[in-house]
Amino acid sequence: MIPMGTSSHIFSRRTFLGVAGTGLIVPPMALTSSQAQPRTSAREDTSSVFRFCLNTATIRSHKLSLPDEIDLAARVGYDGIEPWTREIEEFLQQGGKLADLRKRLQDANVRVESAIGFPTWMVDDDAQRARGFDQMKREMEWIAELGGNRIAAPPAGAYNPPVLDLKRVAERYAQLLEIGQSMGVTPQLEIWGGSANLSRLSEAAFVLVECGHPDACALFDVFHIYRGGSRPEGLRVFNGAALHVFHMNDYPGDPPREKIRDSDRVFPGEGVAPLTQILRILRDIGFHGALSLELFNPQYAKMEVETVARRGLESMREAVKKALSAEMG
């Protein structure tokens, strides 16, 4: 459990008012009419307010090439893909050209919603942090060349103690955002539920506000919200405009929260996660981005890759339909 006794982990009334003033966190009634208008998915009917994305971790055990993963996503019906940067690196090492990959994405009508990498940008060690910033710059260049404009910024390198000063994390995130702004790629602050750092929604909110940057945004995940001990209701204080991608999955009731692992994730609707509540909250706060399927369950490696991808998309669509169909009339 992360110590919560320091001032950098606690919200005062002044801090909360500052949060609201940034637009990162607002009550639902404060959303403008333009924020409240649903945007439909390119491949889903007009009742959907979200896009659907395939995080390639879900099928990594099948060992497809990145071009083949793009083709799969398009064939099954996803709007976007969320590749891991190590796949992009492997593609380049094998002689691939990003320009060719970008054309493949365009021809398939599949967008790069985000990308997942693990640069150590937030750590206290100066040399390690410098390497992390260099890695993030390199990976943001790749994403920009592919036509994407977002990348994850997780607490890589800071999973274990010590607990970092969140004010310093906010300063480093602001630096990261400045670099991203110059490159046209926005790093999204990601929480990891089992981490000693940035495991809770409240900690992410603190960093987003304290960094003082207009591009500050977050990347949340059904599993990590639960694993870190945050309540889904906490999502209500965020502005959906500061959330662009949301990781979708589900989890079983056993093992208990403190012992559950990434490998325990299951398809949406096949566990006990409050998906209806989460999706309704996302709709209410004005989130119109991508729901990205991210699973690590080794049992799915035994299934045909297209079956995994198709079942994942269908399960997300069904979860959205169940959550929102009544409100949509």
Side-chain angles (χ1 to χ4, degrees):
M1 182 63 69
I2 297 177
M4 301 294 289
T6 63
S7 60
S8 61
H9 288 75
I10 298 176
F11 283 112
S12 65
R13 180 174 180 275
R14 178 181 299 175
T15 300
F16 179 80
L17 292 175
V19 171
T22 65
L24 289 167
I25 301 182
V26 294
M29 67 286 293
L31 294 174
T32 66
S33 59
S34 63
Q35 288 173 316
Q37 292 299 315
R39 255 181 10 206
T40 60
S41 165
R43 293 181 171 82
E44 178 64 318
D45 62 33
T46 55
S47 67
S48 175
V49 298
F50 310 123
R51 298 188 301 276
F52 297 99
C53 175
L54 177 64
N55 182 301
T56 58
T58 302
I59 55 172
R60 66 176 179 175
S61 297
H62 295 85
K63 301 187 184 303
L64 299 184
S65 68
L66 187 50
D68 286 343
E69 288 175 334
I70 293 169
D71 292 346
L72 173 66
R75 187 166 64 250
V76 170
Y78 286 90
D79 301 293
I81 193 168
E82 190 177 22
W84 284 35
T85 55
R86 67 182 60 162
E87 294 179 287
I88 300 174
E89 186 170 20
E90 290 172 1
F91 174 78
L92 292 171
Q93 289 173 345
Q94 293 167 5
K97 304 296 183 184
L98 293 182
D100 295 337
L101 203 59
R102 180 169 182 162
K103 186 177 186 305
R104 196 182 200 104
L105 286 159
Q106 292 171 338
D107 291 345
N109 195 26
V110 172
R111 67 173 75 190
V112 177
E113 292 285 1
S114 178
I116 305 298
F118 304 96
T120 55
W121 63 273
M122 73 163 59
V123 298
D124 282 338
D125 182 87
D126 292 341
Q128 186 182 9
R129 189 172 66 255
R131 290 193 295 271
F133 268 78
D134 287 342
Q135 178 183 341
M136 181 64 91
K137 292 176 188 175
R138 182 171 64 255
E139 293 177 351
M140 286 194 288
E141 287 176 353
W142 295 343
I143 301 309
E145 288 190 54
L146 291 176
N149 54 18
R150 287 180 289 273
I151 191 168
Y159 190 88
N160 297 316
V163 175
L164 304 179
D165 182 341
L166 287 185
K167 288 186 177 180
R168 290 192 175 183
V169 172
E171 292 170 359
R172 293 160 188 168
Y173 181 52
Q175 295 170 9
L176 210 58
L177 287 165
E178 281 297 307
I179 295 170
Q181 192 173 64
S182 70
M183 302 174 71
V185 178
T186 303
Q188 307 160 101
L189 189 73
E190 184 177 11
I191 63 171
W192 284 351
S195 175
N197 294 283
L198 284 186
S199 64
R200 302 178 66 88
L201 293 176
S202 57
E203 293 165 349
F206 184 94
V207 173
L208 293 176
V209 175
E210 286 294 312
C211 79
H213 197 284
D215 292 340
C217 59
L219 174 59
F220 296 140
D221 181 304
V222 172
F223 172 84
H224 284 304
I225 290 172
Y226 171 69
R227 178 66 178 86
S230 295
R231 294 177 61 86
E233 291 84 353
L235 288 168
R236 287 197 178 277
V237 302
F238 288 87
N239 185 342
L243 305 176
H244 306 293
V245 177
F246 192 92
H247 285 170
M248 279 289 286
N249 41 66
D250 207 330
Y251 48 81
D254 186 64
R257 180 182 68 81
E258 295 79 7
K259 295 183 179 180
I260 202 165
R261 295 293 180 264
D262 281 312
S263 58
D264 295 312
R265 301 184 190 203
V266 294
F267 289 109
E270 298 185 12
V272 299
L275 296 183
T276 292
Q277 179 189 21
I278 289 171
L279 290 167
R280 287 179 177 176
I281 291 173
L282 289 176
R283 186 275 318 275
D284 290 346
I285 65 174
F287 171 77
H288 304 309
L291 300 176
S292 184
L293 182 74
E294 187 181 55
L295 302 170
F296 300 91
N297 195 314
Q299 294 303 313
Y300 299 157
K302 302 174 184 178
M303 300 165 57
E304 292 292 331
V305 65
E306 188 156 333
T307 300
V308 175
R310 193 173 299 279
R311 184 170 161 186
L313 178 57
E314 290 173 352
S315 68
M316 287 196 293
R317 284 178 170 167
E318 184 59 33
V320 170
K321 180 179 179 181
K322 179 181 177 181
L324 306 185
S325 58
E327 288 82 359
M328 290 294 184

